[in-house]
Amino acid sequence: MGISVSVLDGASCLRVQGAGPARGEPKVPGDKSIGHRALLTAALAEGASTLRGLPLGQDVMHTRRAVERFGVPVTDAGDGRVRVEGPLRHEPDDILDHGNAGTGIRLMAGVCAGIDGLSVLTGDEFLRRRPMDRIAVPLREMGAQVWGREGGRLAPLAIRGGRLQGITHVPEQASAQVKSAVLLAGLSAQGTTTVVEARPTRRHTEELLAAFGAQVRVDGVRVSVEPGKLTGTDVVVPGDPSQAAFWAVAALLADRGEVVVENLYTGFGRSDFVGVLQRMGADADFDLATGRLSVRSSPLKAVDLSGEDVPGIVDEIPVLALAAAVAEGTTVISGAAELRAKESDRIASTARMLHAFGVPVSETPDGLVIEGGARLHPARIDSHGDHRIAMTAAVAGACAVEGTTVIDGWDSVATSYPGFAAELVRLTDAVVEPGA
Ligand code: S3P
């Protein structure tokens, strides 16, 4: 087509003309959640660490640059490896800009709480609207001073850290970000720090802290860390299951779809979307021994998703909602109020997207009701600055919509998946070009 990947990645508007199956072996980036944490734990650790397979999206790049602001050298070591030379000992020399990354700013706040000095953290217009009181409250209870604007949407945040006390924190939301911020602060607290979760969430922080030599205990929903030093080590970042989910649904939207994704993260709480697709009748398989996901087109039926399901599919709900739109029957998603606090209000932005495609959908305070079996028609979609809405719309446009889909706010995809549009071109017959 003569259009380079970077032009498609950077386009503020994308036009996608489908429709047909997705077939092939998509390349997915390294896991974003692990990428943030690998940089932070490596920065806190004594000695050098080598990180292989870090994702190159803007979110993790912001964490990388933020780490460098503390004087920690982060260098490319060739062969896709990044070398981090900790430990991080002093306050940052400037404001830490986390861009669009909620995970980046919240986890970094936990790190800053443990540093004797002043840190100021901010992000883009979308991030500055997201709730930060959920981390400010426990970090203050541990002894950090945390300032921000009134009303819980605090960023920019100013943190003066040091001298922390271990606490037992029971977050209101099941949130891996909150758990992780508290655990990271707990490394430099006096005594044990414990988080008791409402529901178990992804365990990357626990896994990385253990890999770097911290004493971490996981007992169901109760997670504790002891104060102590970390020691540098090498980390291989596996592929991001949440990004593979787009291709899984892409394979299911049209006849003759078939995708295989290799080397995905196989640990707790990240591949539950495969189980949801199986409940919907999808021919999908995830090999926990190898991290290989394979999905073939198959007729789908509706599913009920409740609060029990949500932490394990929290990032996949927009694309699962798209699968529900073509499934037979009515899908009800409930217990998902947390989605209103994501990169966009994802209940509203998912409903608006599906509605624009002609899908009968209604919003509830904590979820969505989607009437399946719709024939999607061409639409203009606003991503609301949310990469996952943009990618869901692109998958719909390439695989399920006859005609042209126009996506505004496409550049949000660069936060997590540079090269997504090029993969769409490679794996489908869709014509994909920058729009206006
Ligand atoms: C993440 C946790 C989830 C998820 C986000 C990444 C993480 O947020 O939505 O994309 O890396 O810890 P919450 O833990 O706030 O639900």
Side-chain angles (χ1 to χ4, degrees), residues 32-34 36-37 103 106-107 130 134 174-178 180 201-202 204 314-315 338 342-343 346 388:
K32 184 155 74 81
S33 290
I34 299 175
H36 288 295
R37 288 159 170 88
T103 306
R106 293 194 177 114
L107 271 57
R130 295 180 65 185
R134 53 182 63 190
S175 165
Q177 296 179 354
V178 173
S180 302
T201 62
R202 62 191 72 192
H204 306 302
V314 66
D315 291 332
E338 259 305 285
K342 295 294 175 193
E343 284 84 329
R346 272 196 191 143
R388 298 198 200 278

Side-chain angles (χ1 to χ4, degrees), residues 126-176:
F126 302 102
L127 186 63
R128 294 197 306 275
R129 281 188 231 139
R130 295 180 65 185
M132 294 296 152
D133 46 349
R134 53 182 63 190
I135 49 142
V137 168
L139 295 178
R140 283 184 190 127
E141 195 187 331
M142 294 178 83
Q145 292 174 279
V146 183
W147 296 276
R149 288 173 295 158
E150 295 296 316
R153 295 174 196 257
L154 304 176
L157 280 177
I159 300 178
R160 187 168 278 287
R163 293 181 175 269
L164 303 182
Q165 279 294 330
I167 58 168
T168 296
H169 183 56
V170 184
E172 279 172 31
Q173 321 75 10
S175 165

Side-chain angles (χ1 to χ4, degrees), residues 252-265:
L252 291 165
L253 292 180
D255 290 343
R256 295 186 308 104
E258 178 161 11
V259 300
V260 174
V261 192
E262 309 274 1
N263 298 320
L264 297 170
Y265 173 75

Side-chain angles (χ1 to χ4, degrees), residues 162-362:
R163 293 181 175 269
L164 303 182
Q165 279 294 330
I167 58 168
T168 296
H169 183 56
V170 184
E172 279 172 31
Q173 321 75 10
S175 165
Q177 296 179 354
V178 173
K179 170 177 66 176
S180 302
V182 174
L183 293 177
L184 287 165
L187 280 179
S188 36
Q190 278 198 341
T192 309
T193 296
T194 302
V195 178
V196 185
E197 298 196 273
R199 294 205 171 90
T201 62
R202 62 191 72 192
R203 296 190 176 137
H204 306 302
T205 301
E206 295 88 310
E207 289 162 355
L208 280 162
L209 286 176
F212 281 84
Q215 282 185 54
V216 194
R217 275 190 314 281
V218 180
D219 182 5
V221 291
R222 201 179 172 84
V223 185
S224 302
V225 69
E226 300 300 328
K229 292 201 182 324
L230 303 182
T231 308
T233 189
D234 296 341
V235 176
V236 178
V237 181
D240 194 324
S242 301
Q243 308 292 33
F246 294 104
W247 304 117
V249 172
L252 291 165
L253 292 180
D255 290 343
R256 295 186 308 104
E258 178 161 11
V259 300
V260 174
V261 192
E262 309 274 1
N263 298 320
L264 297 170
Y265 173 75
T266 55
F268 178 79
R270 295 297 305 285
S271 46
D272 294 12
F273 70 91
V274 184
V276 171
L277 291 173
Q278 287 166 344
R279 277 157 68 188
M280 297 176 79
D283 182 356
D285 180 61
F286 187 49
D287 183 342
L288 287 172
T290 61
R292 181 180 201 267
L293 171 70
S294 51
V295 185
R296 275 164 301 278
S297 57
S298 26
L300 299 178
K301 57 180 190 295
V303 66
D304 278 345
L305 299 172
S306 67
E308 293 284 305
D309 299 297
V310 169
I313 52 169
V314 66
D315 291 332
E316 289 75 66
I317 287 179
V319 79
L320 289 173
L322 171 62
V326 301
E328 195 189 313
T330 303
T331 290
V332 179
I333 303 174
S334 61
E338 259 305 285
L339 264 68
R340 296 201 183 273
K342 295 294 175 193
E343 284 84 329
S344 66
D345 173 344
R346 272 196 191 143
I347 291 181
S349 46
T350 302
R352 272 187 225 137
M353 170 183 62
L354 292 182
H355 179 74
F357 280 128
V359 177
V361 55
S362 52

